[in-house]
């Protein structure tokens, strides 16, 4: 699986343009994901010298990325085209629900049979049909 990972607020605390403190277990989890065969892309707002600082920081902590702000190594960036990249999964602190802990992230990506952290998406969706979410977004998302 190709996994795009944000830097500020996700791997480290958000202190942009400085580099914040490492979020607990971020690098250990990223290394485990790589050992499991996943390709990691550093996907961040940073560019130029600030991007290189982030890349160097990750490398010093044992994580080198498959690609950086690109869908694959060597991809030429055309500034007239969106920087959206092709990945199977995005890990970002700005996603709905925020960033769970890195241990939970690992188990969501690589659940073990019977793991209580394994998500039953069908059950979660059915429960949402009866929540306040549906009262607000009924016409767009929820069935009657």
């Amino acid at each position: 699986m190709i996994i795009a990972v944000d830097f500020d607020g996700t791997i480290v605390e958000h202190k942009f343009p400085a580099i914040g403190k490492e979020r607990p277990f971020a690098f250990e989890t990223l290394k485990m994901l790589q050992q499991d065969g996943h390709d990691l892309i550093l996907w961040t707002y940073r560019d130029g010298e600030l991007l290189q600082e982030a890349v160097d920081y990750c490398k010093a902590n044992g994580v080198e990325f498959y690609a950086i702000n690109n869908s694959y190594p060597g991809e030429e960036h055309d500034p007239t085209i969106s920087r959206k990249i092709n990945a199977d999964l995005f890990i970002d602190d700005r996603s709905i629900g925020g960033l769970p802990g890195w241990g939970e992230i690992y188990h969501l990506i690589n659940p073990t049979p019977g793991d209580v952290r394994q998500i039953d998406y069908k059950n979660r969706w059915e429960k949402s049909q009866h929540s306040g979410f549906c009262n607000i977004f009924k016409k767009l998302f929820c069935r009657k």
Side-chain angles (χ1 to χ4, degrees):
M1 183 174 353
I2 298 174
I3 303 171
V5 185
D6 179 39
F7 184 72
D8 295 290
T10 302
I11 296 175
V12 298
E13 293 175 355
H14 202 295
K15 301 289 183 190
F16 184 83
I19 294 178
K21 281 181 32 179
E22 175 194 346
R23 295 198 56 138
F25 305 109
F27 287 111
E28 293 84 352
T29 304
L30 293 170
K31 288 185 245 183
M32 288 172 58
L33 290 170
Q34 287 179 320
Q35 290 168 1
D36 292 340
H38 300 290
D39 290 322
L40 304 181
I41 296 173
L42 182 61
W43 180 57
T44 177
Y45 176 77
R46 290 174 177 257
D47 66 354
E49 191 174 307
L50 295 175
L51 175 59
Q52 190 59 53
E53 288 175 6
V55 170
D56 292 344
Y57 182 83
C58 291
K59 186 174 182 177
N61 282 281
V63 174
E64 293 188 54
F65 293 91
Y66 163 73
I68 299 164
N69 282 348
N70 290 314
S71 296
Y72 53 87
E75 178 184 30
E76 294 294 324
H77 176 66
D78 180 346
T80 65
I81 299 173
S82 169
R83 282 180 51 177
K84 189 168 186 173
I85 60 171
N86 182 31
D88 300 305
L89 182 67
F90 293 80
I91 302 173
D92 193 325
D93 63 307
R94 304 278 175 126
S95 62
I96 293 177
L99 185 73
W102 277 97
E104 186 175 347
I105 289 170
Y106 181 81
H107 287 284
L108 289 170
I109 295 170
N110 294 307
T112 54
D115 190 334
V116 296
R117 291 168 287 207
Q118 188 170 355
I119 293 179
D120 178 353
Y121 287 103
K122 183 175 185 279
N123 187 36
R124 182 178 272 193
W125 173 253
E126 288 171 359
K127 283 183 179 179
S128 75
Q129 301 300 304
H130 306 289
S131 70
F133 173 86
C134 283
N135 291 335
I136 297 169
F137 298 105
K138 191 178 308 183
K139 290 180 183 173
L140 294 174
F141 301 107
C142 302
R143 302 177 297 238
K144 279 243 171 181

